[in-house]
Amino acid sequence: MEIRFSEEKMNKVREIIARYPEGKQKSALIPLLHLAQDEFGGWLDVPVMDYVASILNILPIEVYEVATFYTMFNTKPVGKYLLEVCQTGPCMLNGSDDIIDYIKEKLGIGPGETTPDGLFTLKPAECLGACGYAPMMQLGKTYREHLTKEKIDALILELRGAANN
Amino acid sequence: MAVKLLLANDHVEGIRYYDTYRKHGGYTTAEKAFKMSPADIVEEVKKSGLRGRGGAGFPTGMKWSFLAKPEGVPRHLVCNADESEPGTFKDRYLMEFHPHLFIEGLLISSYALGSNATYIYIRGEYAWIPDILEQAIAEAKNHGWLGKNILGSGFDCEIYVHRGAGAYICGEETALIESLEGKRGNPRLKPPFPAIQGVWMRPTVVNNVETLAAVVPIIAMGGDEYAKIGVGRSTGTKLLSVCGNVNKPGVYEIDMTCSVEEFIYSDEYCGGIPKGRKLKACIPGGSSVPIVPANLLLKTAKGETRYMNYESLSDGGFATGTMMGSGGFIVLDDAQCVVRHTMTLARFYTHESCGQCSPCREGTGWMYKILKNIEYGKGKMSDIDLLWDIQRRIEGNTICPLGDAAAWPVAAAIRHFRDEFEWHVLNPDESQKRNYGLAHYADPIHVPAGA
């Protein structure tokens, strides 16, 4: 895979950089890493980070240190669907432990592991700001809230279906 | 019926969109503001007594008046929308359902502070909200509320949304500034304060979403009128996000005059505890503030009714009181295990420590390990004192307040629920089975408060 943003994405990159003062283009780093992660397979491989560094005219190490600091940046490959289930206090009070155990059992994977078909990665997460709608998980750009075992069954069926089409 | 200012239009369908918001009086306060001088707006906010709604409760008008204004140096307003304190989801609600109220507050505040480029730093996980905000910003801009020479005032303003990428620490204002500069979220040493040297070394004010939204009703009604709502130094209204074991979790606006008991049991708010269970404990202001048992939550140590405001919640200090904090109201019923809950919070702080200061980096990890041992039946009696000792050595010994925030929940859990920790140590087999074994809490209301 060639690591290069499309012209359309490059327009977005330029628009993002223009939000910050002249010479402060490094401020665009986190937004650009989001863009790169979405574009290049859901995780940030070293060549991807180097590419972002070259766009912003900063050192690769400046990108690595940021990419490894923030939870949302994956520095290892993940499945097509990343199931990030909140396990912090308020979700725990409403049964997130059972939801995590159920997903482990159903998919046969542990925390941080990916199913052999490359579809699902389970990642227990810390508070995602949906405490009143617990238990919940983050899936891509959306939240799935008020989770139950039935909802997990339906979700996995739905995602398997989407992946096959 | 309680006063509603921020959520007054909560029932209006389509209030998320410009036309509906405008029809319901939206942006008339901005019109009023642009006829005032920036200094007058700061004065009104000072008079309102508004206190920062992110958790610290610092007077907003005073924070604004600290902003340095050196000639020829741009200054910035940055909105802290990195809402990540466990139990807190009120800013999400405001941004998702009332984006124009928020944008109007940002606009008026930007004008008051002279910020021509204002940034909203939003937590990365709220990935769908930037689209909502950017749409609202575009609508506002199309109608002349943003951009160049707004309402012929000569004032220019752009608002940009900047997405973070998952770091609780970026809710600390100097870490947020570092992150906005494209770096790791390591808090800075203060001084210099952001008001003197903030983002890109320029004078900066960082305010919470709810704080900036509250500027709209303050300017609309005047600071003095706003200050009449509430009680004492707890003026105006506050958003509470309720979670845990209640019948009606969600976001509520209160005017800080209702009692805690009314807030928990009335149908207007939380609607009581589900499944006929009893109230055991509560963390009323986000995970960092001290947990208190039911008896100390509903009444102060002096036996007076406790109210939902800054002063009343903190009555008794940390020995018998707690804090208003961010308004993340976490309720535990009598089937819940305080040790397990505290363990999840310790895990959270371990995960979120930026690693800059040793007491926090090492201490949070030790606390989590020890709590895990106790919870899973591998604890010793001496571990409880060790935990106490560790939290004491973290508190006050770090650059930013995350250290304190990690220490306080552990300290309060031991202070008020020491017997529960001891129970885990003495009954290792049952604690491993996750049998919380809280039979000794037949009536948690009458558990005596520990030392």
Side-chain angles (χ1 to χ4, degrees), chain A residues 12 15 18-22 24 26-31 34 38 62 64-66 68-73 87-90 92-94 97-98 101 125-133 136 138 140-143 145-146, chain B residues 86-89 92 119 123-128 131 134 160-167 169-170 179-186 200 202 242-245 249 330-332 336 340-341 344-345 347-348 351-352 354 434:
Chain A
K12 184 78 192 160
E15 184 203 314
R19 293 172 187 169
Y20 309 99
E22 191 84 37
K24 305 295 181 192
K26 187 177 170 179
S27 283
L29 177 54
I30 291 174
H34 277 302
D38 289 347
E62 294 178 86
Y64 307 159
E65 63 178 15
V66 163
T68 52
F69 183 85
Y70 294 91
T71 311
M72 291 184 78
F73 296 132
Q87 58 175 352
T88 313
M92 187 279 289
L93 296 176
N94 282 297
D97 291 338
D98 294 340
D101 286 348
E126 298 300 342
C127 189
L128 296 168
C131 319
Y133 324 110
M136 60 78 65
Q138 179 170 24
K141 280 183 93 173
T142 61
Y143 281 4
E145 298 170 334
H146 299 295
Chain B
T88 317
F89 49 99
R92 165 188 170 183
Y119 296 87
R123 69 175 298 179
E125 292 91 341
Y126 287 170
W128 68 98
D131 295 341
E134 278 169 355
Y160 301 106
V161 183
H162 181 103
R163 236 180 110 200
I169 190 63
C170 292
S179 184
L180 184 54
E181 293 184 354
K183 301 177 200 157
R184 296 164 72 93
N186 287 352
W200 309 303
R202 297 168 177 183
V242 181
C243 61
N245 308 122
I330 308 170
V331 178
L332 282 74
Q336 299 296 351
R340 187 164 188 85
H341 191 258
T344 71
L345 299 184
R347 183 179 56 209
F348 171 85
H351 184 260
E352 301 299 342
C354 80
R434 281 200 210 165

Side-chain angles (χ1 to χ4, degrees), chain B residues 60 63-64 77-81 113 205-209 211-212:
Chain B
T60 306
K63 193 174 195 180
W64 284 13
L77 170 63
V78 178
C79 176
N80 184 346
L113 298 166
V205 166
V206 182
N207 283 140
N208 170 262
V209 174
T211 310
L212 293 169

Side-chain angles (χ1 to χ4, degrees), chain B residues 272-294:
Chain B
I273 314 295
K275 300 176 193 161
R277 291 199 179 276
K278 286 180 177 167
L279 172 68
K280 175 176 179 178
C282 176
I283 303 178
S287 64
S288 306
V289 312
I291 187 172
V292 281

Side-chain angles (χ1 to χ4, degrees), chain A residues 31-144:
Chain A
L32 258 52
L33 286 176
H34 277 302
L35 215 57
Q37 182 163 285
D38 289 347
E39 197 70 8
F40 306 116
W43 69 292
L44 296 170
D45 199 358
V46 171
V48 173
M49 292 192 277
D50 292 349
Y51 174 59
V52 171
S54 72
I55 293 175
L56 291 174
N57 198 22
I58 57 178
L59 296 171
I61 185 72
E62 294 178 86
V63 181
Y64 307 159
E65 63 178 15
V66 163
T68 52
F69 183 85
Y70 294 91
T71 311
M72 291 184 78
F73 296 132
N74 303 312
T75 48
K76 284 188 205 134
V78 291
K80 187 174 168 68
Y81 302 110
L82 185 56
L83 310 177
E84 296 178 82
V85 188
C86 178
Q87 58 175 352
T88 313
C91 274
M92 187 279 289
L93 296 176
N94 282 297
S96 61
D97 291 338
D98 294 340
I99 294 292
I100 292 172
D101 286 348
Y102 185 68
I103 296 175
K104 279 187 201 166
E105 191 192 308
K106 189 171 171 76
L107 295 177
I109 51 174
E113 292 175 5
T114 303
T115 50
D117 59 6
L119 275 188
F120 300 103
T121 301
L122 172 65
K123 187 173 167 188
E126 298 300 342
C127 189
L128 296 168
C131 319
Y133 324 110
M136 60 78 65
M137 71 160 85
Q138 179 170 24
L139 177 68
K141 280 183 93 173
T142 61
Y143 281 4
R144 303 289 176 123

Side-chain angles (χ1 to χ4, degrees), chain B residues 32-51 58-69 75 77 105 107-115 205 207 211-212 214-216 218-219 222-224 226:
Chain B
K32 180 179 176 184
F34 275 97
K35 289 180 190 136
M36 299 164 68
S37 74
D40 287 345
I41 296 174
V42 175
E43 197 50 40
E44 289 303 320
V45 173
K46 268 191 190 166
K47 280 197 273 186
S48 74
L50 176 67
R51 293 165 70 173
F58 191 82
T60 306
M62 200 186 291
K63 193 174 195 180
W64 284 13
S65 66
F66 293 153
L67 184 67
K69 292 175 181 150
R75 42 188 190 271
L77 170 63
L107 168 64
I108 298 169
S109 307
S110 299
Y111 171 66
L113 298 166
S115 168
V205 166
N207 283 140
T211 310
L212 293 169
V215 170
V216 178
I218 288 170
I219 298 305
D224 287 332
Y226 183 89

Side-chain angles (χ1 to χ4, degrees), chain B residues 246-261:
Chain B
V246 294
N247 278 315
K248 291 167 59 192
V251 177
Y252 297 99
E253 182 168 17
I254 59 162
D255 64 8
M256 300 202 260
T257 58
C258 79
S259 70
V260 178
E261 189 166 358

